[in-house]
Amino acid sequence: MKKVPFLTLEKAKEIIAQIPTPFHIYDEAGMRANARALKEAFSWNPGFKEYFAVKATPNPYILQILHEEGCGCDCATYAELLLAEAAGITGKDIMFSSNVTPELDMKKAYDMGAYINLDDATHAEFLERVCGGVPETICLRYNPGGSFSLGNTIMDMPRDAKYGMTEDQMAGVMNRLQKLGTKHFGIHAFLASNAVSNEYYPELAAQLFRLAVRLRNATGAHISFINLSGGIGVDYRPEQPACDIGIIGREVHNRFDQILVPNGMGDIAIFSELGRFMMAPYGHLVSTVLHQKHIYREYIGLDACAANLMRPAMYGSYHHITVLGKEDAVLDHVYDVTGGLCENNDKFAIERSLPEISVGDVVVIHDTGAHGFSMGYNYNGKLRSAEVLLKQDGSFRMIRRAETPMDYFATLDIGDFSFHN
């Protein structure tokens, strides 16, 4: 299936006249429509709520838009809690899922009235000591060990993950917390990342639903919600089929009715913590071609680099590339598309078939709306880019300015030095 950018060359040029490339741009209309589709897919569950994974796209303008569509925030750190709070999102609209948690972070989540998702059995005592008590409702994170499989396909290896507790540990923590005053519990697990299969979420749900029944029977605890976390993937490659959230919601519903309802647990709310699924397709990295190089391969050099989008360099991830204005041109040239870092893995594409590219062309790198800007860094003194919101009416707004050299130097103790732009 052909990937079509949500940005035209004409609109890109209009934006570039005010905001130079590179920049990340987000499609408000697309993200709103997607959030509504998710909500509709789980409308059978009265308590359903999506807690958007802030780490995917940590910008308060994005958080506000998703909050208007009914989403809360999944936060993992003190700074992410502050971002959510700045966007007016507090209380039970926050799920705090942290590990190796500092006292400051735990206390902030407690004071905000967030749902707290404990990653380790020792964190119950840590929570009580740091916060002076325990909340009425607490979530516990599960690690089943072994491998997580769909049929004969191994999706991931939970036994190698640092997250979560064993089932026995969860039962022990539930018993201790009930004695301290906790009355309700949630269960959470994240067992695979970017699963481009409609079967992943239903299978994860079935495992957690059966776990909930066992824990309720073992401890007598009331389980009020099950958090399916994230993991629903997106079709980064044009030939990949996209996940169908309607089918996923329907199959989770079937497992709910098969497992929880007969055990008298039909009041459980379903939560999700999606990041990539919510935002990746609705973001582009927009860049301008600076140079061509002709040696043993043909190279196209962009003004963006791995500091703006780490995933291809770090994971070898595929991101589709469109040359704006040449969407229908023949793909009769083969290029490595690179940035300017002093690292040979600073490549957005390797031996990619593309139309003939000229210096000055504007390119769009697709599916950067999640884990794009947020994974940026400053190696080689590269500065983080601007972020732009393409609004539903076709207008645009800068929602984060690009860094300047003075930003880069701002944390230095520069009493003996002088820097000039």
Side-chain angles (χ1 to χ4, degrees):
M1 184 176 180
K2 185 176 180 180
K3 277 190 172 287
V4 178
F6 58 76
L7 192 68
T8 65
L9 178 59
E10 292 71 27
K11 178 58 70 172
K13 287 181 175 180
E14 179 187 347
I15 298 169
I16 292 167
Q18 298 183 38
I19 306 169
T21 57
F23 55 78
H24 285 270
I25 187 165
Y26 308 107
D27 175 23
E28 180 182 2
M31 69 178 82
R32 285 188 185 274
N34 188 56
R36 291 169 188 172
L38 172 67
K39 187 175 181 180
E40 175 61 27
F42 285 88
S43 60
W44 54 267
N45 184 263
F48 174 76
K49 192 172 187 69
E50 154 66 6
Y51 289 85
F52 173 67
V54 173
K55 62 181 176 287
T57 321
N59 188 298
Y61 291 93
I62 301 299
L63 303 187
Q64 279 185 331
I65 289 171
L66 293 176
H67 189 53
E68 289 169 6
E69 298 297 337
C71 301
C73 288
D74 161 40
C75 299
T77 64
Y78 183 79
E80 290 181 356
L81 290 168
L82 293 181
L83 266 177
E85 190 174 47
I89 305 168
T90 59
K92 293 301 184 284
D93 280 343
I94 303 287
M95 180 70 63
F96 181 63
S97 295
S98 175
N99 67 97
V100 195
T101 308
E103 290 188 5
L104 179 68
D105 300 39
M106 185 67 83
K107 185 67 164 57
K108 179 63 175 175
Y110 182 86
D111 290 344
M112 288 177 68
Y115 284 124
I116 294 176
N117 183 23
L118 297 182
D119 180 68
D120 183 67
T122 65
H123 287 187
E125 287 76 16
F126 175 70
L127 171 65
E128 184 189 23
R129 174 175 60 80
V130 169
C131 301
V134 296
E136 187 174 272
T137 302
I138 291 182
C139 188
L140 304 180
R141 189 168 188 171
Y142 175 54
N143 185 326
S147 62
F148 180 80
S149 302
L150 287 177
N152 295 320
T153 302
I154 295 177
M155 303 290 290
D156 216 326
M157 304 295 289
R159 68 167 178 256
D160 297 330
K162 67 176 182 175
Y163 308 110
M165 312 178 207
T166 68
E167 182 173 341
D168 286 345
Q169 287 175 329
M170 292 177 75
V173 170
M174 283 182 168
N175 286 328
R176 290 198 297 276
L177 286 171
Q178 286 184 97
K179 292 176 181 177
L180 294 173
T182 298
K183 298 178 181 178
H184 311 286
F185 291 89
I187 293 174
H188 171 286
F190 178 81
L191 302 185
S193 179
N194 194 36
V196 285
S197 165
N198 292 334
E199 287 77 40
Y200 167 63
Y201 236 36
E203 179 56 32
L204 169 65
Q207 288 201 24
L208 294 186
F209 295 165
R210 288 190 285 266
L211 173 67
V213 173
R214 294 195 301 271
L215 288 172
R216 189 277 312 269
N217 292 343
T219 67
H222 176 248
I223 296 171
S224 60
F225 66 83
I226 291 176
N227 187 339
L228 301 178
S229 67
I232 298 178
V234 299
D235 50 330
Y236 286 103
R237 294 178 179 271
E239 67 271 17
Q240 281 182 308
C243 290
D244 187 320
I245 197 62
I247 292 174
I248 291 169
R250 184 169 66 248
E251 290 304 313
V252 172
H253 190 184
N254 288 339
R255 306 305 196 280
F256 188 96
D257 286 347
Q258 292 165 6
I259 299 168
L260 291 178
V261 172
N263 281 282
M265 302 174 74
D267 63 334
I268 285 179
I270 301 299
F271 296 165
S272 59
E273 288 176 355
L274 300 168
R276 189 191 317 266
F277 177 82
M278 298 300 294
M279 280 298 301
Y282 312 108
H284 294 331
L285 174 58
V286 183
S287 184
T288 301
V289 177
L290 295 183
H291 297 287
Q292 295 179 330
K293 185 172 184 175
H294 316 284
I295 48 173
Y296 308 105
R297 292 185 188 176
E298 295 294 304
Y299 291 93
I300 295 298
L302 305 183
D303 59 2
C305 66
N308 305 112
L309 179 64
M310 183 193 290
R311 297 186 72 254
M314 185 174 185
Y315 304 119
S317 303
Y318 180 95
H319 281 264
H320 199 64
I321 296 174
T322 295
V323 185
L324 293 183
K326 299 180 180 180
E327 290 87 348
D328 298 319
V330 178
L331 309 181
D332 57 356
H333 286 63
V334 177
Y335 299 107
D336 282 16
V337 181
T338 79
L341 290 184
C342 298
E343 289 288 339
N344 197 44
N345 67 354
D346 181 21
K347 296 178 180 179
F348 297 110
I350 297 173
E351 296 186 310
R352 182 78 59 86
S353 294
L354 291 163
E356 183 176 9
I357 296 176
S358 303
V359 171
D361 279 349
V362 179
V363 303
V364 153
I365 302 176
H366 290 251
D367 302 313
T368 68
H371 312 295
F373 179 93
S374 66
M375 295 180 74
Y377 56 100
N378 285 125
Y379 182 63
N380 263 174
K382 289 291 187 178
L383 304 175
R384 290 180 174 86
S385 73
E387 291 181 292
V388 180
L389 179 66
L390 181 63
K391 302 176 78 171
Q392 295 187 95
D393 63 4
S395 63
F396 64 91
R397 176 178 183 173
M398 183 167 64
I399 58 174
R400 189 192 302 267
R401 67 168 175 82
E403 287 182 336
T404 69
M406 291 302 103
D407 294 321
Y408 180 62
F409 300 136
T411 55
L412 292 170
D413 183 358
I414 60 172
D416 296 327
F417 303 94
S418 179
F419 295 95
H420 303 281
N421 274 321

